[in-house]
Amino acid sequence: MSLFEIADIYFSHPDEYPLSTHIKNIAASFNDPTHKRAAAFHDLGKLNDIFQKNINNGGALPFHALEGAFFFLLYHNTPISTAGLTVIYQAVQMILNGLFPSHGTCISLLSFSTPSRIG
């Protein structure tokens, strides 16, 4: 299943494993259509330039899960408010820890507002 095309120049894991292949394989592992759609979005944060630069060079990888959750909600016309971000964060954390443990523990949303995260 693919909701959009991602060029094979973007990688999901070391050794140049294409992000598009990874997303299709994860989506295929689910029978439920909602889970298939969520899987299509779950690693969109890996399109981040820093993630792509470091994936095969051993550098630090930026947290990448919240971007996919954000775009999943936008795609489904879910209203997003500032107050709702905490709920989204908690839901993403529960989903990631249960369905996608390779994404690790979510970091604090407060860290996104620090100067080191801007730029």
Side-chain angles (χ1 to χ4, degrees):
M1 173 186 184
S2 178
L3 294 174
F4 32 77
E5 295 301 318
I6 298 173
D8 284 343
I9 61 169
Y10 298 102
F11 304 113
S12 175
H13 295 87
D15 300 322
E16 300 185 354
Y17 183 69
L19 179 58
S20 60
T21 301
H22 171 68
I23 289 175
K24 287 174 187 171
N25 288 341
I26 295 295
S29 72
F30 294 104
N31 292 322
D32 179 72
T34 301
H35 287 112
K36 285 184 180 289
R37 283 191 305 274
F41 285 85
H42 89 278
D43 267 348
L44 288 182
K46 289 183 176 182
L47 292 170
N48 177 309
D49 288 340
I50 295 170
F51 188 97
Q52 289 301 309
K53 177 182 167 195
N54 291 343
I55 189 69
N56 285 309
N57 297 325
L61 299 175
F63 185 72
H64 62 274
L66 289 177
E67 296 89 341
F70 180 75
F71 286 113
F72 177 81
L73 294 172
L74 287 178
Y75 181 82
H76 289 89
N77 296 316
T78 304
I80 300 173
S81 66
T82 304
L85 288 176
T86 300
V87 175
I88 293 168
Y89 168 74
Q90 291 170 346
V92 168
Q93 185 173 25
M94 288 172 26
I95 291 168
L96 294 180
N97 291 338
L99 293 177
F100 305 112
S102 66
H103 291 70
T105 302
C106 293
I107 59 174
S108 169
L109 287 178
L110 295 176
S111 67
F112 285 101
S113 64
T114 61
S116 65
R117 287 281 192 184
I118 299 173

